[in-house]
């Protein structure tokens, strides 16, 4: 039997979510002997960036990441390429809205470069081979370097949203 908590975070920059996640984690750390993390997409990145391993000490047993963003600098670089934005232009303009709904930010990119992810928790990753945000090569590198175990869903996307994808996700979670 497990207690399940969801963090409906309100912030969107890694430096803000780090503070928000830390506050939430400290409450859990005080009340539980064992903790399992389930996070998806940018939530996985924010979780790794938050310092929760240090807050939870040895209580964080394992993590389940669904379509995680594991290399934010690479994703930002890819988005800059998609938007035809050079690093020099980003430095000059600081924030650049894109046609695909994201705003590129020099502060965000600088933060990511200056705060690399360190992650030691045993992590199970579910990845869709049609993920349009993170390449399989990037996921495989993360898994190799961070005590990970990878499951790839054929025809899975970044957002696990179809009935088939959700069923796959549920079977994957139950199997672990």
């Amino acid at each position: 039997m497990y207690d399940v908590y969801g963090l409906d975070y309100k912030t969107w920059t890694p430096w803000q979510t780090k503070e928000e996640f830390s506050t939430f984690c400290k409450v859990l750390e005080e009340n539980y002997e064992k903790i399992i993390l389930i996070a998806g997409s940018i939530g996985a990145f924010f979780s790794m960036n938050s310092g929760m391993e240090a807050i939870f000490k040895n209580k964080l047993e394992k993590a389940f990441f669904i379509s995680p963003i594991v290399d934010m600098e690479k994703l930002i670089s890819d988005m800059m390429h998609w938007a035809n934005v050079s690093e020099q232009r980003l430095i000059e303009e600081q924030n650049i809205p894109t046609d695909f709904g994201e705003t590129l930010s020099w502060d965000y990119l600088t933060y990511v470069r200056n705060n690399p992810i360190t992650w030691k928790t045993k992590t199970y990753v579910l990845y869709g081979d049609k993920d349009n945000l993170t390449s399989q090569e990037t996921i495989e590198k993360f898994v190799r370097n961070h005590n990970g175990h990878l499951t790839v869903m054929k025809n899975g996307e970044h957002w696990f949203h179809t009935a088939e994808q959700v069923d796959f996700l549920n079977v994957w979670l139950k199997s672990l």
Side-chain angles (χ1 to χ4, degrees):
M1 183 70 69
Y2 293 93
D3 293 333
V4 178
Y5 293 89
L7 175 55
D8 183 19
Y9 54 92
K10 308 292 186 231
T11 54
W12 288 99
T13 64
W15 53 92
Q16 292 169 322
T17 57
K18 184 174 187 172
E19 185 176 320
E20 188 174 1
F21 278 43
S22 295
T23 301
F24 182 77
C25 290
K26 287 174 187 171
V27 171
L28 294 179
E29 192 280 328
E30 292 171 1
N31 293 296
Y32 293 93
E33 294 301 316
K34 296 179 182 181
I35 297 167
I36 297 171
L37 170 66
I38 301 175
S41 190
I42 198 166
F45 168 74
F46 286 153
S47 295
M48 291 186 289
N49 177 70
S50 72
M52 69 172 49
E53 284 181 317
I55 295 166
F56 288 151
K57 301 172 183 97
N58 294 323
K59 295 181 179 184
L60 186 57
E61 289 189 326
K62 56 189 164 185
F64 299 103
F65 287 167
I66 301 124
S67 301
I69 302 298
V70 295
D71 187 339
M72 183 59 79
E73 183 177 359
K74 170 112 175 64
L75 177 57
I76 293 169
S77 175
D78 289 347
M79 289 191 298
M80 289 170 63
H81 177 75
W82 302 335
N84 197 27
V85 172
S86 68
E87 188 165 315
Q88 185 59 42
R89 180 175 165 210
L90 189 57
I91 291 168
E92 291 168 4
E93 296 183 35
Q94 293 294 299
N95 294 294
I96 301 173
T98 67
D99 292 339
F100 47 87
E102 298 294 330
T103 298
L104 299 169
S105 163
W106 177 247
D107 287 343
Y108 205 119
L109 179 56
T110 302
Y111 177 89
V112 168
R113 286 180 173 164
N114 292 331
N115 295 275
I117 296 298
T118 57
W119 188 251
K120 296 178 179 82
T121 300
K122 184 175 189 173
T123 302
Y124 298 87
V125 175
L126 177 58
Y127 174 79
D129 71 352
K130 300 221 181 297
D131 190 314
N132 63 340
L133 294 181
T134 301
S135 71
Q136 191 161 341
E137 178 184 341
T138 299
I139 288 292
E140 289 172 351
K141 180 180 175 186
F142 172 83
V143 167
R144 275 193 313 275
N145 295 333
H146 293 90
N147 192 24
H149 303 273
L150 177 62
T151 299
V152 177
M153 180 186 178
K154 185 175 178 169
N155 296 317
E157 301 168 83
H158 184 76
W159 305 112
F160 277 66
H161 66 285
T162 67
E164 179 185 8
Q165 292 166 354
V166 171
D167 288 345
F168 192 97
L169 169 81
N170 288 331
V171 169
W172 175 74
L173 278 172
K174 288 176 185 175
S175 73
L176 299 173

